Amino acid sequence: MPPQRFPSFILRSSLFILAASFLPSAQAVHQKNAGPEKVELKFKLPPPAPLSPEEAMKTFKVEKGFHIELVASEPMIESPVAMSFDEQGRLYVVEMRGYMHDFEGGGEKETTGRVSLLEDTDGDGRMDKATPFLDNLVMPRAVLAVNGGALIAVPPNLYFCKDTDGDGKADVKDVVATDFGTLGGQPEHMANTPIWAMDNAIWSAGYTTRFKLRGGVWQKDTGLGRGQWGLCQDDFGRLFFNYNSDMLRADLLPTEAFTRNPLLRNATSINAKVAADQTLYPSHPTPGVNRGYEAKSLRADGTLPKPTGTCGALIYRGDAFPAAYRGNAFVPEPCANLVKRFTMSEADGIVKATNTAKTTEFLTSTDERFRPVQAANGPDGALYLVDMYRGIIQHQSFLTHYLIANIKDRKLETPFNQGRIWRIVPDAKERPQPVKVSKDVSMLTHANGWVRDTAQRLIVESGDASAVPALKEMLTHKSALSRLHALWTLDGLAALTPDLLRATLTDKDAQVRAAAVRISARDLAPDLIALTAEKDALVLAHLAIKLTSFNLPDADTAVAKLLASNGKNVLVREGALTGMRGREAAFAKLMAGQLTKDNSSQIIPVMEALGSLLAQAGKAGPFEDMLELAAAQPQGGAMQMAVIKGLASNGGDPKSKTPAKLLWLDAEPASLKTLKSLMSDKAAAKLFASVEARLAWPGKPGAPSPPKIVPLNEAQTALFEKGKTVYATLCAACHQPHGFGLDGLAPPLVDSEWVLGKPEILTRIVLHGLAGPVKVGGRSFNLAMPPLPQLTDEDIAGVLTYIRREWEHNGSPVEIKSVTTLRAQNKARMAMWTEEELKNLGKKPSSK
């Protein structure tokens, strides 16, 4: 059975261990990448004894001016991995009590997991009451306090749970989603950390669907997958996340806009790397990481120099810390037993995180069982930490010989039933007090961002129209953050009128103006078109996104003018490109009409980007249109070369190692001859040769025979139409209607060698699934395609025929009888296929 999934902080984690001798090799569970069997354990460190919370407190070193306090610990909670405060200050805690009881992953199938509801009944800051809110769970992963209850992830399901009789235990358990993670596959891709963001949508890490609660009904639409473990937002609603070896990333523009153009795979406006220097400074040797045997993994003193298990990042938005800490990022690294702090800055919409440490960190511990896995803002303005507190956090599927030897030598297998919640507060005389939040509009002015977020959520959840007058009045509040919350709260209540939005479009704060643009609908197109004289880059980027979404001639003309003076700005340019799918060549003509001697440097990057999108799209007609446009430009000019450079890109994907798709034309285009005569220097000629190589026509020297398009017969056409319906209802959520997939969730189907290869391979994948890693178009996808045995043979034949003939594909149809035969042949198979198995089907086994 495939291993259970777990987030990146577990997959890359470790245990500290060291002795100056060779130990007998241990049996590594991860057979394909288990590392050397004979391992040398350096650094003579004695086996550490598990520490009580009071003892652990003495191992912490926190930045000057702060101290750490205990909020909750075992036996009240065990193996905590996630937490969420509700409006009353109660704390939901996810306890993964079945995780890694031994090297074989014992305990993971048991119903020992739970979500506990903790309360501080005497107000001393320490939780003193715990109630099993939802019990008997298998490996629960995430929780979000919402709508008087909580969203709880128990893969593959996301439940909404609520206590209606006041006993602290859930008596309502409704299924919100059935694809929130899987029971098998690679753990690092498990969905987690749902948050209620400023746009009144619930976003999650590692998951592409966002939810909105409207009138008590959970609505779904698509976004983009992001990060591995942990998700948070800043004061303006931008989403921040991370990956195991990358401490902080961000979506600088609204994520949902980029779902409109799947070809913008390498956009820098989303999934932006914001932290350049991620050097770590642990306070003790940490050589027990999974790949600690590699020479560059550790410093000479045994400390981890770079992140390997990052998770649960937070943008601090509380009011307990000094002002200089507001908006800072705090990022746990459990492998190094520390929490790093970054200061944040912004210029022209680009966010930058600066490593504040030189030789120290915001928080470190010499207790190697200290495993911070989530940071959170609290109702008292303090910073909270979830500490899984255990030795083993590496999942059994990825254990190396080295790590197993370390664990055994250091006696770190047990205990596995501890865990703590910590709070970090300033060294002040009085402990900050938690705020109980209501749907009082005035709470949107509170200095604590958690309070503002919670108040906004409560008002939107309630749907209470009586709040509208006060919210309208708050649109003129002196605080820009309060105006921003009021705007989004009105939007959540569906109470924004065109007049209110028109006024907000001219707000003195750029973040408020950007939000107003984002919220505006098509009826405000004239007002938005009139804003193209806006100077702020962030607002212009939002404006470009919105105007291109309208697909109106006047709006496109306005965007062309906007880019003619701001095309060099990556946010503005990419914002515009989100709405260009299928219109690249037509828009390039608009841009060419804007060219003057003074704005060439602004327009050139746009033209190159449009050419690159067309190179990825692989459609012969628009590609030829772009060549004609290039041929009409001045010889050797920057505009001409920008178009050629864009079209010469290898499908727009620098990671791809496969040749770009050959595009067939009816005849050699005249523009090609013209351009060839104009390419005088070596660099230009080389680029042009790449463009020419992508094109073929009957009679072109060296070209292969034109593809034979065999039309479908009546029965096959009916099968295609049935498959089209199956695809739309079952497959499009992941692979998308356009077939380009979603990074982090599903690989592309368009021009995929898997789709256009042997149909019996596709049939096997649909029947039994495919466990990653798998290469598609030269790129590796470490994902799992779940089996779909519930589909009928006709359904499978139909959907495979559809994807082999849609998107200008010319694959053969799939016959129903062939699906029936393969189903019978593999009826005893239980496991997913792997890439290696499928590629070796029918081959004789090696004699080695």
Side-chain angles (χ1 to χ4, degrees):
M1 183 175 179
Q4 296 285 332
R5 290 185 171 188
F6 206 65
S8 62
F9 66 78
I10 283 175
L11 294 177
R12 300 293 187 267
S13 257
S14 56
L15 308 139
F16 314 141
I17 294 158
L18 309 167
S21 62
F22 283 97
L23 295 185
S25 67
Q27 180 63 36
V29 178
H30 183 28
Q31 293 298 310
K32 290 188 177 180
N33 196 15
E37 291 190 26
K38 214 169 189 180
V39 295
E40 180 182 4
L41 303 182
K42 308 170 184 178
F43 305 99
K44 294 183 179 180
L45 300 176
L51 302 180
S52 68
E54 291 71 26
E55 292 169 328
M57 193 93 69
K58 299 175 183 177
T59 70
F60 291 119
K61 181 181 179 182
V62 66
E63 194 169 307
K64 185 178 180 181
F66 297 89
H67 65 274
I68 194 165
E69 300 175 347
L70 182 68
V71 177
S73 67
E74 70 281 353
M76 179 180 285
I77 55 171
E78 300 174 10
S79 296
V81 296
M83 58 172 271
S84 181
F85 283 103
D86 74 0
E87 60 271 16
Q88 301 176 50
R90 301 182 303 176
L91 186 60
Y92 291 97
V93 178
V94 178
E95 299 175 71
M96 195 180 286
R97 300 164 76 202
Y99 181 72
M100 286 299 288
H101 291 187
D102 52 42
F103 293 125
E104 286 71 43
E108 292 189 5
K109 297 179 183 179
E110 299 174 8
T111 56
T112 55
R114 71 185 176 198
V115 175
S116 292
L117 183 58
L118 310 187
E119 299 177 67
D120 173 13
T121 62
D122 58 12
D124 67 350
R126 181 83 67 93
M127 299 295 175
D128 49 57
K129 180 182 178 182
T131 306
F133 180 74
L134 193 64
D135 211 344
N136 303 315
L137 308 176
V138 178
M139 300 283 280
R141 303 299 171 99
V143 64
L144 171 66
V146 66
N147 200 31
L151 285 173
I152 295 175
V154 187
N157 297 318
L158 180 67
Y159 298 106
F160 172 67
C161 304
K162 193 170 185 176
D163 165 29
T164 63
D165 57 13
D167 64 356
K169 298 180 180 180
D171 46 66
V172 170
K173 186 181 178 184
D174 296 331
V175 176
V176 175
T178 58
D179 62 346
F180 205 80
T182 67
L183 290 176
Q186 296 297 335
E188 68 265 34
H189 295 288
M190 183 66 71
N192 63 85
T193 322
I195 67 164
W196 183 295
M198 183 169 279
D199 63 353
N200 301 304
I202 293 174
W203 297 87
S204 304
Y207 189 65
T208 60
T209 300
R210 61 174 180 169
F211 303 97
K212 288 188 177 181
L213 184 61
R214 294 293 180 269
V217 176
W218 295 100
Q219 301 175 351
K220 305 177 185 179
D221 63 9
T222 57
L224 292 175
R226 71 195 46 72
Q228 282 189 275
W229 187 266
L231 185 66
C232 63
Q233 68 174 344
D234 65 6
D235 276 339
F236 313 114
R238 287 180 294 215
L239 299 175
F240 287 79
F241 43 92
N242 46 34
Y243 298 88
N244 58 286
S245 297
D246 194 331
M247 301 198 86
L248 200 62
R249 292 205 173 213
D251 287 343
L252 304 177
L253 292 176
T255 311
E256 68 274 12
F258 287 79
T259 63
R260 295 188 294 145
N261 196 338
L263 300 181
L264 280 173
R265 297 191 191 110
N266 302 306
T268 58
S269 303
I270 54 171
N271 198 29
K273 186 181 179 73
V274 298
D277 179 8
Q278 301 188 22
T279 310
L280 299 179
Y281 301 99
S283 58
H284 70 126
T286 57
V289 292
N290 208 28
R291 304 289 166 199
Y293 57 84
E294 294 178 349
K296 294 182 179 180
S297 291
L298 302 164
R299 297 187 179 96
D301 63 359
T303 57
L304 188 67
K306 296 180 180 179
T308 185
T310 299
C311 53
L314 173 74
I315 303 298
Y316 176 73
R317 303 171 57 219
D319 58 346
F321 284 20
Y325 291 81
R326 306 274 180 89
N328 286 190
F330 292 85
V331 189
E333 219 301 357
C335 304
N337 316 115
L338 59 81
V339 176
K340 175 173 283 295
R341 177 170 76 94
F342 292 101
T343 56
M344 310 296 285
S345 59
E346 180 179 346
D348 290 335
I350 303 295
V351 176
K352 179 182 177 182
T354 301
N355 189 351
T356 60
K358 298 303 178 184
T359 57
T360 61
E361 301 289 357
F362 178 75
L363 173 68
T364 62
S365 173
T366 55
D367 180 3
E368 59 198 78
R369 284 182 171 83
F370 171 59
R371 304 294 192 183
V373 295
Q374 182 190 5
N377 288 298
D380 55 358
L383 188 155
Y384 284 74
L385 292 173
V386 177
D387 175 9
M388 199 176 180
Y389 201 82
R390 52 162 40 230
I392 300 179
I393 55 174
Q394 175 70 60
H395 191 264
Q396 57 93 6
S397 302
F398 292 86
L399 287 167
T400 59
H401 293 291
Y402 172 87
L403 186 51
I404 291 176
N406 274 285
I407 293 168
K408 288 185 174 181
D409 183 65
R410 303 274 286 144
K411 299 179 173 57
L412 290 166
E413 296 155 85
T414 58
F416 47 73
N417 60 350
Q418 295 177 289
R420 291 91 194 254
I421 306 292
W422 303 98
R423 170 178 53 235
I424 299 175
V425 294
D427 294 335
K429 293 182 179 180
E430 295 183 2
R431 180 176 57 81
Q433 295 299 308
V435 177
K436 290 189 177 182
V437 185
S438 68
K439 56 181 183 143
D440 184 346
V441 171
S442 67
M443 286 195 155
L444 297 177
T445 68
H446 202 281
N448 184 348
W450 178 89
V451 173
R452 296 194 305 273
D453 292 349
T454 306
Q456 177 179 323
R457 173 177 64 80
L458 292 175
I459 297 169
V460 173
E461 284 175 351
S462 73
D464 188 356
S466 67
V468 171
L471 289 167
K472 289 180 177 179
E473 185 177 347
M474 191 169 286
L475 289 176
T476 61
H477 195 277
K478 64 179 180 180
S479 165
L481 286 179
S482 297
R483 298 198 302 275
L484 190 61
H485 277 283
L487 181 66
W488 279 112
T489 307
L490 282 165
D491 182 59
L493 292 173
L496 274 174
T497 64
D499 287 342
L500 285 173
L501 275 171
R502 285 190 186 96
T504 313
L505 287 171
T506 58
D507 191 278
K508 61 184 178 181
D509 184 83
Q511 290 287 353
V512 178
R513 296 198 303 276
V517 171
R518 183 179 174 188
I519 293 169
S520 293
R522 195 182 182 93
D523 59 348
L524 284 178
D527 301 272
L528 296 172
I529 289 171
L531 290 178
T532 49
E534 166 74 47
K535 299 300 182 184
D536 186 87
L538 183 64
V539 181
L540 287 171
H542 281 263
L543 198 58
I545 290 171
K546 183 62 65 172
L547 289 175
T548 55
S549 73
F550 294 154
N551 196 11
L552 294 171
D554 288 349
D556 285 349
T557 299
V559 173
K561 291 179 179 178
L562 184 156
L563 289 171
S565 54
N566 297 277
K568 288 174 66 174
N569 184 285
V570 66
L571 296 190
V572 179
R573 185 171 67 250
E574 290 181 353
L577 294 175
T578 62
M580 298 297 175
R581 183 75 178 99
R583 306 193 290 134
E584 297 92 348
F587 196 83
K589 291 179 181 178
L590 269 182
M591 290 303 304
Q594 295 289 326
L595 183 66
T596 69
K597 64 179 181 179
D598 299 321
N599 65 13
S600 173
S601 64
Q602 299 288 346
I603 290 180
I604 294 310
V606 181
M607 299 299 285
E608 184 177 333
L610 289 168
S612 180
L613 289 178
L614 279 173
Q616 292 181 70
K619 306 297 182 185
F623 198 97
E624 188 174 2
D625 289 344
M626 202 69 165
L627 283 175
E628 291 178 1
L629 177 63
Q633 304 307 308
Q635 178 182 353
M639 175 78 84
Q640 188 176 75
M641 292 312 303
V643 175
I644 296 299
K645 186 176 180 181
L647 292 176
S649 61
N650 184 19
D653 186 356
K655 298 178 182 178
S656 179
K657 297 179 182 179
T658 58
K661 177 183 176 182
L662 193 63
L663 305 180
W664 279 90
L665 306 175
D666 293 334
E668 181 180 6
S671 59
L672 202 63
K673 294 180 180 180
T674 302
L675 286 167
K676 192 169 187 175
S677 67
L678 299 178
M679 300 293 115
S680 53
D681 63 77
K682 280 189 176 181
K686 185 176 181 180
L687 286 172
F688 180 77
S690 297
V691 173
E692 189 177 30
R694 288 208 63 182
L695 299 175
W697 53 86
K700 179 182 179 181
S705 299
K708 294 181 180 179
I709 302 176
V710 180
L712 300 178
N713 61 33
E714 185 177 349
Q716 292 166 342
T717 300
L719 202 58
F720 174 93
E721 292 301 326
K722 182 178 181 63
K724 185 176 183 179
T725 300
V726 173
Y727 184 86
T729 56
L730 188 63
C731 312
C734 294
H735 292 287
Q736 298 295 288
H738 43 62
F740 284 97
L742 281 174
D743 283 356
L745 180 69
L749 302 179
V750 176
D751 299 328
S752 164
E753 65 270 34
W754 291 87
V755 171
L756 298 176
K758 297 178 180 179
E760 58 267 29
I761 297 293
L762 276 180
T763 303
R764 286 182 167 93
I765 292 173
V766 174
L767 285 170
H768 293 98
L770 176 63
V774 59
K775 280 193 174 180
V776 182
R779 297 180 65 187
S780 290
F781 292 84
N782 205 0
L783 307 169
M785 160 72 183
L788 299 170
Q790 74 274 20
L791 294 180
T792 67
D793 295 348
E794 185 180 5
D795 288 338
I796 294 174
V799 76
L800 296 184
T801 296
Y802 172 74
I803 67 173
R804 287 169 62 81
R805 298 292 290 213
E806 183 67 337
W807 309 306
E808 296 187 1
H809 289 169
N810 191 32
S812 61
V814 177
E815 302 297 333
I816 298 173
K817 63 182 180 181
S818 67
V819 178
T820 304
T821 299
L822 284 171
R823 190 192 291 269
Q825 287 178 356
N826 296 278
K827 63 182 180 180
R829 185 178 183 90
M830 300 297 293
M832 292 181 178
W833 293 98
T834 65
E835 180 181 50
E836 185 177 5
E837 284 181 304
L838 292 173
K839 287 187 174 180
N840 289 317
L841 281 173
K843 295 182 180 180
K844 292 182 179 181
S846 173
S847 59
K848 292 182 180 180

